[in-house]
Amino acid sequence: MQAAAKTKVLDAPTMYRILFAISLGHFLNDSMQAVVPAVFPILERSMSLSYTQVGWIAFALNMTSSIMQPVFGFYTDKKPAPFLLPLGMFSSLLGMLGLAFAPNFYVVILSVLFIGLGSAVFHPEGARVAYMAAGTKRGLAQAIYQVGGNTGNAMAPLFTVLIFVPLGQIGATWFTGLAVIGVILLSYVSGWYKRELTAGAARAKKKGTQSGGELSRQVKFAVVLLIFLVFARSWYSAGIGNFYQFYLIEHYGLSIKSAQYYVFAFMIAGVLGTFFGGPLADRFGKRNIILLSMIGSAPLALLLPYVPLMLVVPLFLCIGFILSSSFSVTVVYAQELMPGKVGMVSGLIVGLAFGMGALGAVVLGKLADLYSLGFIMTFCSFLPLLGVLSWLLPKDASAVK
């Protein structure tokens, strides 16, 4: 019965229209999140924020999202809830309105909590939709889904240049329109999701019985190690995404506007790495891609703080692509470690691990205030070296046994 259920899943067609729709929804959701770091330079000057306060804003956003993601994931593994997709986007809409008109640091914090909650609601169910629509192409499907989110995050520097520099904080009102589009789009996806749940009720029961066994010690170790690796990668991304723009302004003398293009190069390279990493993992193995992405980016990350400005973009393109090539792969790898727990896996890998990485925003902000931006850039450069621990992960064949 177990083998038959597995064959039935593997024979399912890949639903590209749903994959691209949920990827677009992921793009819109993470664009809402990208508004927060995009407005940092504006808020830092208009509200006279310290780097520690900037770190706390990033912490509030990411920790709300991350802590709640496993909670929603655990709940929806037992009782899938398609309506949570548009509801999460509506929460982000409220956060955008609050951020646009926030008069002080505390209202900013409250606003980003709504954005973080919207993201926490969206991600587990979004990952489940991608899983259900994947058919035989798990790596590609997860790459399509994740590339939408990474593209949304990558837009932060452009939002700064095109919206917040000319318009200021009030520019956040523009994103309420995107949120409305997101609510409509995700309502459509939720309709397909609900119909699929109804049509596949018997299959879902078989999956539930299949995943009810106790996790082995090897699997538990692999999941904890995987979370730690994503945690380390997130600390590096926190340093680049939240503070490298200030490092460019202080160390190289760039303007706010010019600095954004350098950070954008890192982020857009990460989008490409996310997309190509999925198909590469389908061909060469998920564990191999995870190992390569961390070890391959480490030497380049170590060089970054010491190179002249003309080499920053080439290094960023290489680091962003290599480091993010395992972004979607870690999710699929974890799903195979814990079959039947798609929402929980999304919450742990995309949510909790990244949110714990958001602690880095607070720690790095405090270190920047105590020491210097140069110090935290040097500190971050050593983080990809922790990727050597990925050698301890089980190979793909043993991971799914």
Side-chain angles (χ1 to χ4, degrees):
M1 182 181 293
Q2 181 174 335
K6 187 174 182 180
T7 301
K8 195 171 185 179
V9 173
L10 292 177
D11 289 342
T14 303
M15 303 294 293
Y16 286 102
R17 65 182 175 87
I18 298 300
L19 286 175
F20 287 117
I22 196 64
S23 180
L24 179 57
H26 200 181
F27 167 79
L28 294 173
N29 177 85
D30 284 25
S31 291
M32 303 296 112
Q33 289 186 273
V35 166
V36 180
V39 80
F40 278 168
I42 307 302
L43 296 178
E44 188 258 344
R45 292 191 176 181
S46 64
M47 296 184 181
S48 301
L49 301 181
S50 67
Y51 291 131
T52 301
Q53 288 176 308
V54 170
W56 275 114
I57 296 171
F59 175 82
L61 173 69
N62 290 295
M63 284 301 287
T64 304
S65 170
S66 65
I67 288 177
M68 295 304 297
Q69 273 196 52
V71 174
F72 283 112
F74 179 79
Y75 171 77
T76 56
D77 279 336
K78 297 180 179 296
K79 189 176 180 180
F83 69 90
L84 286 179
L85 288 169
L87 184 63
M89 187 63 67
F90 182 74
S91 177
S92 294
L93 188 156
L94 296 178
M96 285 297 106
L97 286 173
L99 187 62
F101 299 101
N104 55 52
F105 170 73
Y106 299 102
V107 179
V108 170
I109 290 287
L110 179 62
S111 300
V112 301
L113 289 177
F114 276 97
I115 300 171
L117 181 62
S119 182
V121 169
F122 169 83
H123 278 102
E125 289 299 81
R128 191 186 313 279
V129 168
Y131 184 87
M132 292 170 65
T136 59
K137 300 177 180 178
R138 294 275 175 81
L140 176 62
Q142 194 61 221
I144 292 173
Y145 169 65
Q146 295 293 353
V147 81
N150 279 18
T151 304
N153 280 319
M155 298 301 291
L158 295 186
F159 291 160
T160 303
V161 172
L162 301 177
I163 297 176
F164 293 111
V165 168
L167 298 179
Q169 181 181 341
I170 196 68
T173 54
W174 283 73
F175 295 90
T176 58
L178 291 180
V180 170
I181 294 173
V183 169
I184 296 171
L185 174 70
L186 293 176
S187 296
Y188 163 75
V189 174
S190 292
W192 174 86
Y193 180 8
K194 186 175 181 180
R195 291 190 297 272
E196 189 72 8
L197 287 173
T198 302
R203 185 178 62 198
K205 288 181 181 178
K206 290 180 181 180
K207 286 184 181 180
T209 57
Q210 179 180 334
S211 62
E214 186 72 21
L215 296 178
S216 68
R217 290 178 62 184
Q218 183 190 34
V219 168
K220 290 178 181 178
F221 170 78
V223 170
V224 171
L225 178 56
L226 202 62
I227 291 173
F228 176 76
L229 292 171
V230 176
F231 169 81
R233 188 175 64 193
S234 299
W235 271 55
Y236 184 80
S237 297
I240 300 300
N242 292 309
F243 297 105
Y244 197 80
Q245 56 186 314
F246 299 115
Y247 181 71
L248 286 166
I249 293 167
E250 179 183 291
H251 186 72
Y252 293 104
L254 298 183
S255 65
I256 292 177
K257 186 175 181 180
S258 298
Q260 306 311 310
Y261 294 112
Y262 289 83
V263 179
F264 179 71
F266 173 78
M267 292 183 169
I268 203 64
V271 170
L272 295 174
T274 298
F275 179 77
F276 286 104
L280 287 173
D282 284 338
R283 181 170 182 179
F284 298 108
K286 301 168 187 65
R287 184 253 199 180
N288 292 337
I289 296 299
I290 293 170
L291 176 63
L292 178 63
S293 73
M294 298 289 283
I295 298 301
S297 60
L300 303 177
L302 288 169
L303 283 174
L304 182 65
Y306 310 104
V307 298
L309 184 62
M310 63 180 294
L311 294 180
V312 169
V313 169
L315 276 180
F316 262 175
L317 292 175
C318 294
I319 296 170
F321 184 91
I322 297 171
L323 192 63
S324 294
S325 62
S326 64
F327 191 97
S328 61
V329 178
T330 53
V331 178
V332 179
Y333 183 86
Q335 287 173 348
E336 293 183 354
L337 287 170
M338 303 172 66
K341 295 180 171 64
V342 178
M344 175 69 82
V345 165
S346 175
L348 288 173
I349 302 302
V350 182
L352 182 60
F354 277 86
M356 292 305 291
L359 277 170
V362 177
V363 174
L364 294 174
K366 188 65 176 178
L367 290 174
D369 284 333
L370 291 176
Y371 300 103
S372 68
L373 289 167
F375 175 83
I376 64 170
M377 290 300 110
T378 302
F379 172 80
C380 287
S381 70
F382 285 92
L383 292 173
L385 285 175
L386 294 173
V388 71
L389 296 175
S390 56
W391 186 264
L392 300 176
L393 291 170
K395 294 181 179 179
D396 292 14
S398 59
V400 297
K401 287 183 179 179

